[in-house]
Amino acid sequence: MERTVAVACKDGLHARPAAEFAKLAKTYVAEVSLRRPDGAPAKAKSAVKLMLLAVKEGEEVVLEAEGDDAEAALDALSAYLATHEAGTAAPTAGPAGLPEPASGTFTPPPAGLPSRAAGVPASEGAGIGPAFPFFPEVIVAPDRAVPPDEAVDEVARLHAALDATTGALIANKLEGGATPEDVGIIDALIEVARDAEFVGAVEAEIRSGRDAVTAVLRAGGALAASFERVEDDYIRARAEDVGGVTRALALSLLGRADADLSAVPEGAVLVADEVSAWDFTKVPAGRLAGIVCTQGAATSHLAIMARTHGVPAVLGWRDGGAALRSATRVALDGSTGDVWVDPDAATAARIEARVAGDRKARAALAHLRGVHPATRGGRPIEVAANLGSLKEIGPALEAGAMGVGLFRTELLFMERKSLPSEDEQARTYAELARAFAPHPVVVRTLDIGGDKPVAGIAFPHEDNPFLGWRGVRMCLDRPDVFKPQIRALLRAALSGNVKVMVPMVSTVDEVLRVKALVAECRAELDAEGAEAGQFELGIMVETPAAALMAGDLARHVAFFSIGTNDLTQYVMASDRLNPRVADLNRADQPAVLRAVEMVCAAAREAGIWVGICGEAAARVDLIPTFLRYGVGELSMSPASIPRAKAAVMEAE
Ligand code: PEP
Ligand code: MG
C-alpha cells in the first residue's frame, strides 16, 4: 500500500527530521520506503538514505509499506511528514550556503588593520587566543585480508566499536552544557553510526574478506561521497558527519584516539582543516575563543554549533593551511572572515580590546530584554528584529525583539526546487505572527532579482540586475508568483499582527497595482469561503524615486520602512557589494541622511508611521538623528537589539 504526502518538515528531510523519521519507522515491523513520485525508493528505516534523497520542504513524496502493520506505519509516518516541524534549529544560512548577511550587527574591522577577505564568516564576533591545532593524522587502511572463518569475529569487533563510539556520544549528550541544538546534532550522528544501511555495507565489506578498519573506511568513504554529490548545500554538508563517524569508528577499532579536544585550554582558538560536529561535541562548553578551519561552510553543523554557543568562527579559509599548522596565536573576526596568524602586538591589542568591549557590553545590556524603550522625552520606540527564517525566532525573542520589522521572504523561495505553495507560505507567516503576537510582524513581499535566481522564475540575463527586473517590478509581472504570497498573507493575518510591505517601489502606480491585487485576492478568498484577515500595507523606501515621491506615496500606504542599504547604494550611485566604493556607500553620507529626513517629514505630514530596517537602524551613532527625524521603529539583526534599546533610552 502507498500514500502520497507533502513534506512539511522545515527545510525538508535534513539530518534531524530524517533521523526522527527513521526512528519512528523502526517502531513498525512493516518494510517502508519513501520516494519522489518519479524516483527510486529509499528505505525509511535508514536515516542516511532518507537524507540522501534531499527532499525539500513542500515536495510531494510517496510512502510505500508492506507488512502486518503497514497501514498503521503509513498513518504515523505520513502524519509525521505532513505536520512535523523539526524540533531543533536547522542552519541559519543565506542563499547558496552563504551566511545570512549580518544585517545591523556588522562591525567593520578596526581601522588600519591589514584586512583580507579570507574565509567564510560563519559565526560573528572577534576572538583571539593561543592556537590549539587539531590536525589528526590520516588513517591508512590496513587492507588486511580476513579469511571467511574469521569474519564473524571481525563483525563482532565492529559492533563493539559501534557500541563504544555511540556510548561516548551519548555520554557527551548527557554532559552539562549541551544545548537542544547539540542534542539534535549528536542524535543525528548516533543515527548515522547505527544506520542499518551503513552498518550493513561495512559488514558486507568484512564478509568479502576485508578487515574491520578497512571495511569502515571504505563504506564510510562511499557514503560520504554520496552526500558530497547531493546538490542541496545543507545535505551535502552531512558528508562531514559521516567522515566524523567513520573516523571515530576506525580509531576505536585501532585502539587509538585523536588529539584530546576535551583538553582544549580556556580561551584557545581551535585551528584545523576540519572539525566535525562530532569533534566539537567533545570541547567543553565555554572554553573556545574562536574557531578557524580551512574547510567548511556556513551550512555545516560546526557553524550552527559555533553560532549557538556564541563562538566566533571563520571556516573555509582555504589559503590558511600551512600558516595555521605552525601558528602559536590566532585572531579572527567571525563577522568578516578575517584571520590574523601570529598577529603583531598592535593588532592583538586591538582585537583583545574588541573582545573585552563586546563581552562587557553584552553583560551590561542583558537587563534590557523585556524593556520597551522610550527616549528621554518619553517617546516610545519599537526595536524589532530583521529575520530571514523561522529559525531565528528564538534568538530574536531572547534578544528582546518587540516584533519583526522586516521578514525577508526570499529564503523561503530560494531554498527550494520549486516555488513554495500558498499553504506553505500561509503556515510560515502564521507561525511568525503567533510567535511575536501581539507585537507586529512586517513581512516583506518577495524581493528578488536576476542576481538571486529562484527555481520557478526565469530571469532574463541583465547587465545590471540591481537596476533591473526585481522586487515589486517582477512580482507585478508575475501574478502567478505574487498572488499566492498575498493570499497566504491575508490568511496568516488571522493569526496575529501581520503587516505587509512591498520592496523596491518607485512609483505610485506600482502601489495602486499592488493594492488592486490585494483586493482581488481578498475577493477570491471570500468567494472560496476561505477566511482572510486584515493587514496594514506599507512600502519600503529604498529607491531615490520613492524618497522624492514620499509625499504622494504616503497618501496610499499605512507606513514606510526605510531600506537604508539600497537607498544608500542608489542615492550615492555606489554598489553596496563593491569595497572600492565603500566610502561612498555609507548611510551617514549627508545625501542619504537628507533623503531619510525627507521621507520622515512626508510620513509625519501624512500621519503614517515610519521605521528603518536597513543596517543603519542598528548604528548607535545614527539612532539619535533618526529619532529626531521622527522614526518610530528600528529593525535590525537580533544581536544588535539590546545595544539599540540602550541608545534609544539615551536619546533626547
Ligand atoms: C535595505 O535595502 O535596506 C533592506 C533592508 O533590504 P535588503 O537589505 O534586503 O535589500
Ligand atoms: Mg533592499
Side-chain angles (χ1 to χ4, degrees):
M1 74 183 49
E2 66 174 52
R3 208 160 296 168
T4 301
V5 51
V7 174
C9 304
K10 290 216 165 24
D11 302 305
L13 272 185
H14 61 77
R16 279 154 285 177
E20 287 169 16
F21 185 83
K23 216 175 194 169
L24 181 61
K26 284 183 204 158
T27 61
Y28 296 90
V29 289
E31 277 304 314
V32 189
S33 66
L34 183 148
R35 62 176 169 82
R36 292 199 165 81
D38 54 354
K43 287 195 174 136
K45 294 180 184 175
S46 165
V48 294
K49 291 282 168 188
L50 291 173
M51 277 186 251
L52 283 168
L53 280 184
V55 172
K56 299 270 184 197
E57 181 182 349
E59 263 196 89
E60 282 205 334
V61 293
V62 180
L63 281 172
E64 279 171 340
E66 237 176 72
D68 285 349
D69 52 4
E71 182 146 20
L74 284 186
D75 285 346
L77 292 168
S78 52
Y80 179 94
L81 293 179
T83 58
H84 184 75
E85 288 169 356
T88 44
T92 303
L98 292 173
E100 185 76 342
S103 173
T105 59
F106 174 80
T107 323
L113 275 183
S115 168
R116 51 195 161 124
V120 177
S123 176
E124 73 168 22
I128 181 164
F132 185 89
F134 181 67
F135 294 96
E137 56 173 310
V138 176
I139 305 174
V140 181
D143 258 330
R144 183 169 60 82
V146 170
D149 59 331
E150 285 176 27
V152 177
D153 288 346
E154 205 61 5
V155 169
R157 248 167 44 77
L158 166 71
H159 282 274
L162 279 167
D163 288 346
T165 309
T166 50
L169 272 177
I170 291 166
N172 288 340
K173 183 166 86 164
L174 299 178
E175 251 171 35
T179 66
E181 281 82 4
D182 293 344
V183 170
I185 290 171
I186 294 173
D187 279 342
L189 292 171
I190 293 172
E191 203 58 37
V192 170
R194 286 188 177 153
D195 189 83
E197 291 281 317
F198 171 58
V199 176
V202 181
E203 286 181 0
E205 290 278 355
I206 293 174
R207 292 209 181 85
S208 75
R210 295 197 168 86
D211 65 279
V213 176
T214 306
V216 163
L217 293 176
R218 284 176 66 98
L223 185 58
S226 314
F227 275 96
E228 266 159 9
R229 282 194 295 271
V230 174
E231 254 180 45
D232 180 301
D233 284 330
Y234 183 52
I235 304 275
R236 195 165 57 236
R238 301 287 69 74
E240 177 195 296
D241 297 349
V242 175
V245 169
T246 305
R247 184 174 178 85
L249 273 175
L251 285 171
S252 170
L253 283 162
L254 289 166
R256 297 204 322 245
D258 274 333
D260 185 5
L261 284 170
S262 65
V264 169
E266 189 78 36
V269 174
L270 181 58
V271 297
D273 282 327
E274 195 171 14
V275 179
S276 68
W278 177 288
D279 296 325
F280 188 78
T281 61
K282 297 180 196 143
V283 181
R287 287 260 175 102
L288 287 177
I291 302 170
V292 180
C293 292
T294 61
Q295 321 257 318
T299 42
S300 60
H301 270 156
L302 177 63
I304 306 168
M305 288 173 123
R307 286 196 288 266
T308 308
H309 290 275
V311 180
V314 175
L315 304 183
W317 189 41
R318 301 203 183 282
D319 302 334
L324 286 177
R325 273 166 207 271
S326 58
T328 44
R329 200 149 187 246
V330 174
L332 66 142
D333 186 334
S335 313
T336 60
D338 283 313
V339 179
W340 295 267
V341 169
D342 296 323
D344 60 39
T347 303
R350 275 183 293 208
I351 299 283
E352 272 162 5
R354 243 184 94 196
V355 173
D358 286 354
R359 189 179 306 130
K360 230 162 124 184
R362 265 197 310 276
L365 297 175
H367 66 285
L368 293 179
R369 183 171 181 268
V371 169
H372 292 185
T375 61
R376 283 176 192 259
R379 185 156 65 97
I381 303 294
E382 291 202 28
V383 182
N386 287 355
L387 303 187
S389 75
L390 298 182
K391 291 161 228 146
E392 295 153 50
I393 290 175
L397 290 171
E398 189 55 35
M402 302 158 64
V404 175
L406 165 62
F407 184 72
R408 292 180 165 101
T409 55
E410 292 77 66
L411 268 189
L412 197 60
F413 285 73
M414 297 178 72
E415 284 174 346
R416 284 170 179 68
K417 292 190 172 130
S418 57
L419 292 169
S421 68
E422 177 186 321
D423 282 353
E424 270 178 85
Q425 292 190 63
R427 276 200 304 274
T428 304
Y429 308 144
E431 185 174 336
L432 182 75
R434 276 195 298 272
F436 289 91
H439 292 301
V441 296
V442 183
V443 180
R444 175 172 76 183
T445 58
L446 188 58
D447 185 14
I448 218 134
D451 56 323
K452 296 181 199 158
V454 161
I457 307 175
F459 285 93
H461 169 76
E462 292 179 320
D463 285 339
N464 200 339
F466 274 112
L467 300 180
W469 194 57
R470 57 184 314 116
V472 70
R473 306 167 183 186
M474 185 279 291
C475 283
L476 285 171
D477 287 349
R478 287 289 305 263
D480 59 315
V481 175
F482 200 18
K483 279 177 66 181
Q485 184 168 44
I486 296 173
R487 286 169 55 106
L489 286 162
L490 284 165
R491 288 166 54 190
L494 293 164
S495 303
N497 187 353
V498 173
K499 298 178 193 290
V500 175
M501 71 178 170
V502 185
M504 287 299 294
V505 166
S506 34
T507 68
V508 170
D509 180 60
E510 285 165 343
V511 174
L512 297 179
R513 288 171 63 201
V514 172
K515 288 176 96 171
L517 274 182
V518 173
E520 193 176 312
C521 290
R522 182 180 294 285
E524 279 174 15
L525 287 169
D526 273 355
E528 291 162 21
E531 276 194 276
Q534 301 286 340
F535 56 64
E536 279 186 1
L537 184 76
I539 58 165
M540 290 195 67
V541 179
E542 53 185 346
T543 65
L548 291 165
M549 297 300 289
D552 297 66
L553 289 162
R555 286 203 289 279
H556 301 281
V557 296
F559 64 92
F560 285 155
S561 184
I562 304 176
T564 47
N565 306 340
D566 277 321
L567 187 62
T568 303
Q569 81 163 341
Y570 295 131
V571 164
M572 299 304 299
S574 57
D575 185 342
R576 64 194 259 190
L577 303 176
N578 183 347
R580 289 205 170 177
V581 291
D583 268 355
L584 287 171
N585 189 276
R586 293 171 58 123
D588 56 5
Q589 284 281 359
V592 180
L593 291 178
R594 191 166 297 177
V596 173
E597 189 177 13
M598 274 172 52
V599 174
C600 291
R604 190 170 50 242
E605 191 139 316
I608 64 171
W609 65 268
V610 56
I612 296 186
C613 62
E615 282 190 25
R619 280 189 52 176
V620 291
D621 56 334
L622 294 182
I623 285 176
T625 307
F626 293 150
L627 300 185
R628 204 173 62 244
Y629 291 163
V631 166
E633 181 238 36
L634 297 162
S635 191
M636 60 202 66
S637 155
S640 303
I641 287 175
R643 232 170 16 219
K645 282 188 177 178
V648 167
M649 290 160 74
E650 277 166 23
E652 294 300 334

